[in-house]
Amino acid sequence: MIVEGGGMRGSFAGGVLAAMTQTYPAINFSLVVGVSAGSCDAAYYVTADESDSDLAMSRLNIWRQELVGRRLINFLNPLRGKPFLNQEYLVDRLFARKYRLRAEAFDEIKTQFYVVVSNLRTFVPEYVKATSSNILQLLKAATAIPIATSGKWTLFNNSYTDGGVLDPLPVEAVLRAGYRRLTVILNDPVGFRARQISKMVSFLSYPFNKDIRIRLHREYHQKYNRALEILHRPPAGVEVTLVAPEERAPAGLITTNERAVNRNIDMGLQAGFKAFERLKGKRWFWQR
């Protein structure tokens, strides 16, 4: 399974995965890959305890209560010398303590969980397996969103940024690894196509790194749209299940409006139950 990112649009995937925890838990997948905000949603999904699936619904309060308003994104922060998005609040307070992510579970679960990050030295996307010792730092690297944060995080003595910058939808990487049954959670309708990121936005994203901003401007939309084309016209022998909103979700990349975010979540819950309720009670461990 691949879980797309997209900042606050990831609240849709959060709703989908909360529904899936009750109807189709992660044990059904041999591999889960998360991108950016999708990696945060997926981390809770793959470590969920099947004996207490109601906990998944309560964890939606991260989106419903903790990430709205000015708690996560505050446009006044630059006046205080801080980035718009407070990663310490997100990871160190919420994930590590208040809604504790069961980091120890990553060393026990059968489902392999990988997070996509973009290497700012090699300009190559990396797919890093989550462990109990690296997960929180890995999520900080994955959510080092340009402009909203400093746009980089040190991990394994290298500098990384949001994985979506170099591989926004890692369909080709998963196919190269040999997987042939894919479930993909998208945060935009299936007819959506990415537009080219402007030179100005690319510059503002990485003003001191010409190589990465050139790639962001020239390649991001091409990679994303190529992945969508593969999903819509999969190669022979590849089976694809898409879960996506039926209409453009009201929450955007940096939306902090509580009503819009909650609408996103509810759309995700509805889509998740609709897609997987029919499979409730069945268990397949999908292998390559």
Side-chain angles (χ1 to χ4, degrees):
M1 179 168 68
I2 299 170
V3 186
E4 184 187 8
M8 296 301 288
R9 289 199 304 272
S11 51
F12 175 82
V16 172
L17 292 173
M20 288 177 63
T21 300
Q22 295 191 344
T23 59
Y24 203 70
I27 194 173
N28 289 285
F29 298 98
S30 56
L31 174 73
V32 173
V33 181
V35 183
S36 193
S39 61
C40 302
D41 290 323
Y44 280 101
Y45 173 67
V46 300
T47 58
D49 187 345
E50 288 188 60
S51 64
D52 191 8
S53 60
D54 289 341
L55 184 60
M57 293 300 174
S58 68
R59 283 176 175 159
L60 282 177
N61 287 335
I62 297 176
W63 286 107
R64 293 191 189 279
Q65 299 176 8
E66 308 289 353
L67 305 187
V68 295
R70 296 181 179 179
R71 294 177 179 87
L72 176 68
I73 299 172
N74 189 334
F75 297 104
L76 297 178
N77 278 350
L79 300 178
R80 307 182 184 102
K82 300 178 180 179
F84 292 119
L85 190 150
N86 188 338
Q87 284 185 287
E88 285 70 25
Y89 169 75
L90 178 68
V91 178
D92 297 336
R93 180 176 175 183
L94 298 181
F95 298 167
R97 297 196 298 274
K98 189 170 183 179
Y99 300 85
R100 195 181 79 83
L101 180 64
R102 294 195 313 117
E104 65 278 6
F106 289 105
D107 300 333
E108 304 166 358
I109 57 177
K110 293 181 179 180
T111 302
Q112 298 184 75
F113 178 50
Y114 282 76
V115 175
V116 185
V117 289
S118 298
N119 191 310
L120 287 171
R121 182 177 59 84
T122 64
F123 312 115
V124 172
E126 296 183 13
Y127 313 91
V128 183
K129 185 176 182 180
T131 67
S132 60
S133 60
N134 73 14
I135 182 59
L136 294 179
Q137 294 302 307
L138 189 53
L139 291 180
K140 281 188 177 180
T143 57
I145 303 170
I147 301 178
T149 72
S150 64
K152 61 182 179 180
W153 191 262
T154 300
L155 185 70
F156 314 129
N157 296 318
N158 276 316
S159 188
Y160 291 90
T161 189
D162 182 345
V165 171
L166 293 177
D167 196 354
L169 198 56
V171 174
E172 292 177 278
V174 170
L175 291 177
R176 285 196 301 269
Y179 293 88
R180 291 297 178 263
R181 299 183 68 183
L182 308 184
T183 296
V184 181
I185 300 176
L186 301 173
N187 289 314
D188 285 296
V190 293
F192 172 80
R193 292 296 183 274
R195 296 180 179 179
Q196 184 174 23
I197 295 175
S198 70
K199 290 184 178 180
M200 177 61 71
V201 171
S202 299
F203 175 80
L204 292 174
S205 298
Y206 298 100
F208 305 111
N209 193 324
K210 182 179 179 181
D211 291 311
I212 197 72
R213 69 173 180 259
I214 288 176
R215 285 169 170 80
L216 185 62
H217 169 64
R218 293 180 179 175
E219 301 175 7
Y220 174 89
H221 65 294
Q222 295 177 348
K223 290 181 177 180
Y224 185 86
N225 293 337
R226 185 169 68 239
L228 286 179
E229 291 304 316
I230 293 173
L231 293 176
H232 291 306
R233 298 178 179 83
V238 174
E239 178 183 330
V240 174
T241 298
L242 292 178
V243 185
E246 295 181 356
E247 59 188 65
R248 191 70 188 268
L253 182 68
I254 55 174
T255 298
T256 59
N257 179 272
E258 184 174 359
R259 179 176 295 181
V261 172
N262 276 287
R263 173 62 180 149
N264 253 36
I265 294 168
D266 293 339
M267 289 170 62
L269 284 168
Q270 183 179 12
F273 282 123
K274 180 179 179 181
F276 293 97
E277 181 67 29
R278 62 187 176 83
L279 299 176
K280 189 174 183 178
K282 296 182 180 180
R283 293 291 181 269
W284 295 296
F285 190 61
W286 291 1
Q287 296 285 358
R288 285 181 284 180

